[in-house]
Amino acid sequence: MARPRKPLLSRAGIVAAALALVDTEGLAAVSTRRLAAELGVSGPSLYNHFRTKDEILDAVADTVVGEVDLSMFEGCADWRAALTAWARSYRAALTAHPNIVPFLAQGPGRRPAGLRMADAVFGAMVEAGWPVADATLIGAMMRYFVAGSALGSFARGFVGDPAAYDPSAYPHLGQAHLLPGHQQRVDEGAFEMGLTALLDGLAVRFVTPTRVPEGD
């Protein structure tokens, strides 16, 4: 039998299958055996591309982070506008794949896209005049905030049954059963309010650096 012209497996194909599995069934569903079955190959064949399951998840996480727009940090003239645009793009990437967020929350590790993002944020903040220590904290703070907002829905955490909210026990939750029907508005509104509050707080702390004129 003639050998196929194209290999049955590729790193991109494995990552795509793993991401689909994470999206539909969660992190716990990913195993080399399960992925091999999904791809219609033998388990050991995956090891030609990835040595461990964690390497596969690293690649999945990096693929998701690679969807985040970083162009706003190029020649950044307004650190606040850049952080705003980045946070929105970052959240959009994570909310499209919320099941990978707990893995991503561990940090960038050696993942190229994650390191590029950390480098872009830190570099832009330092160039804007933030002290190095503050620039590090800003990157961490924004990551915590965005990952937390993408991890789950506040509104979806409430049941739609009015009987669940006994007014004698919960006198202020008489309208809580309506929240699931307004999930997107509540969750996006909370994110935007929190983002504005964070950036307002940073703006109070920021001191425009004094630049010494050339020749002095």
Side-chain angles (χ1 to χ4, degrees):
M1 180 182 293
R3 298 181 65 183
R5 293 183 178 180
K6 293 183 179 180
L8 294 175
L9 280 180
S10 67
R11 286 180 64 91
I14 295 170
V15 170
L19 179 56
L21 200 54
V22 170
D23 284 344
T24 56
E25 299 185 35
L27 286 167
V30 179
S31 68
T32 53
R33 178 177 296 181
R34 178 67 186 279
L35 277 174
E38 294 286 327
L39 292 163
V41 299
S42 65
S45 62
L46 296 179
Y47 297 118
N48 293 324
H49 301 277
F50 295 98
R51 292 177 296 177
T52 65
K53 183 184 83 170
D54 278 349
E55 281 193 2
I56 296 173
L57 290 176
D58 266 336
V60 169
D62 215 41
T63 296
V64 173
V65 172
E67 298 173 1
V68 180
D69 181 16
L70 300 177
S71 63
M72 68 287 296
F73 294 120
E74 298 171 6
C76 174
D78 184 337
W79 62 266
R80 178 171 182 147
L83 286 179
T84 299
W86 168 61
R88 289 170 178 163
S89 179
Y90 191 10
R91 180 176 183 269
L94 298 192
T95 54
H97 308 284
N99 289 338
I100 196 65
V101 174
F103 191 84
L104 276 169
Q106 299 171 17
R110 296 177 181 272
R111 297 189 291 269
L115 291 172
R116 281 194 298 271
M117 184 167 72
D119 182 73
V121 176
F122 177 79
M125 294 305 100
V126 172
E127 285 294 316
W130 284 98
V132 168
D134 285 353
T136 301
L137 296 180
I138 289 170
M141 178 188 69
M142 296 297 291
R143 185 167 65 84
Y144 298 152
F145 173 66
V146 173
S149 73
L151 194 56
S153 166
F154 172 83
R156 198 168 58 233
F158 291 84
V159 300
D161 180 8
Y165 308 100
D166 182 350
S168 66
Y170 316 109
H172 306 295
L173 295 181
Q175 301 298 305
H177 65 285
L178 301 176
L179 286 172
H182 301 280
Q183 176 187 331
Q184 183 175 0
R185 180 176 62 81
V186 172
D187 292 344
E188 291 186 359
F191 170 75
E192 290 294 334
M193 179 182 288
L195 180 59
T196 298
L198 282 177
L199 297 178
D200 282 349
L202 287 176
V204 171
R205 290 175 58 95
F206 183 71
V207 177
T208 303
T210 301
R211 301 191 181 278
V212 178
E214 293 184 8
D216 287 5

